Amino acid sequence: MIDVRRAVRADRAWPNRVVPLAVLVCWLVWAALAWWSAPRSVDAAELERDLAAGRVLTIARADGWDDSGPWARRPEPRYAQGGSTVVWARPDGQFRYTYAPASVPDGSLVEDDPATGDADPATGDATPATGDPTGDDDARWPDPDPDPLADPRARDATTHGGDTRADTIANTAALFALAIGVGWLLTLVAGPPPVLGTRCYWFWIGLLPFGLGVLAWAYRERWRADVPAARARRTGWAGLGWWLVGGIAVSIAVAALRMLLGGYVVPGG
């Protein structure tokens, strides 16, 4: 005779293995694409080498980064003509940036203008900075570095329209992240009741950065769904607490890895 209970467990084991494997594959693809297209901080010499080799597709100035989106969204530069950050896209799909203060029309830097001294505390008027008595200030105030956007080699990059390969890769990564998030949420809501915690518990866990919570859910609730919990199911309040603590821990770990391995290995805006 056929063991009915064993057959039922076998029928349930198949999707319990396929779902976490599919989530893992999609997550690995997203992680590789997101890592490659993430903004990378380099020095000004790297920009010069890319300009000399013709590896600059788009180039612009920015004032900081907008990283207020979800974990799957690439930080976007806040474009500004007078920004102190120069960002550019390369043909290989990478997105890089460097610190290069903008210049005002008289050729001095925006942040440090040597032609103007400190304000007089009594009158509030600016007092001229002390220069060379002969009037030749070139030795005292050397010319700032030329604006990379004014370089003739960057002329086409400053007027480039449309998406680059870096944008395409980042958008593809976002689609994989969307598929992971939608699949996880639909399975969480319409699937069998979770074992370790309630649905509300796993909802908060799933919001952890970089999709780590979704991986934890796929492993515990799908791959090991036949293993009973050792205690009562965890509630949504427990999930909220783990989400707060886990988010802080992940942020600290990423910052530590960036300091240890460098901004190329652990990029970020």
Side-chain angles (χ1 to χ4, degrees), residues 75 204 257:
W204 288 111
L257 289 174

Side-chain angles (χ1 to χ4, degrees), residues 132-248:
D132 191 337
T134 63
D136 185 5
D137 291 338
D138 291 342
R140 183 177 179 85
W141 304 111
D143 291 336
D145 294 335
D147 188 352
L149 275 68
D151 193 307
R153 297 169 296 182
R155 184 175 301 133
D156 293 338
T158 57
T159 59
H160 184 278
D163 290 342
T164 63
R165 180 175 295 180
D167 297 318
T168 302
I169 294 176
N171 293 336
T172 304
L175 289 178
F176 273 94
L178 180 63
I180 294 172
V182 172
W184 159 71
L185 193 58
L186 290 177
T187 306
L188 180 64
V189 173
V195 177
L196 181 65
T198 63
R199 288 184 171 90
C200 189
Y201 169 83
W202 282 113
F203 171 79
W204 288 111
I205 297 299
L207 298 181
L208 285 172
F210 308 119
L212 298 178
V214 177
L215 292 179
W217 165 84
Y219 172 73
R220 180 61 184 90
E221 297 295 344
R222 305 300 296 181
W223 189 269
R224 302 182 65 236
D226 55 337
V227 179
R231 57 182 181 180
R233 292 199 303 169
R234 300 173 183 176
T235 64
W237 289 109
L240 176 60
W242 279 112
W243 172 66
L244 293 173
V245 174
I248 295 174

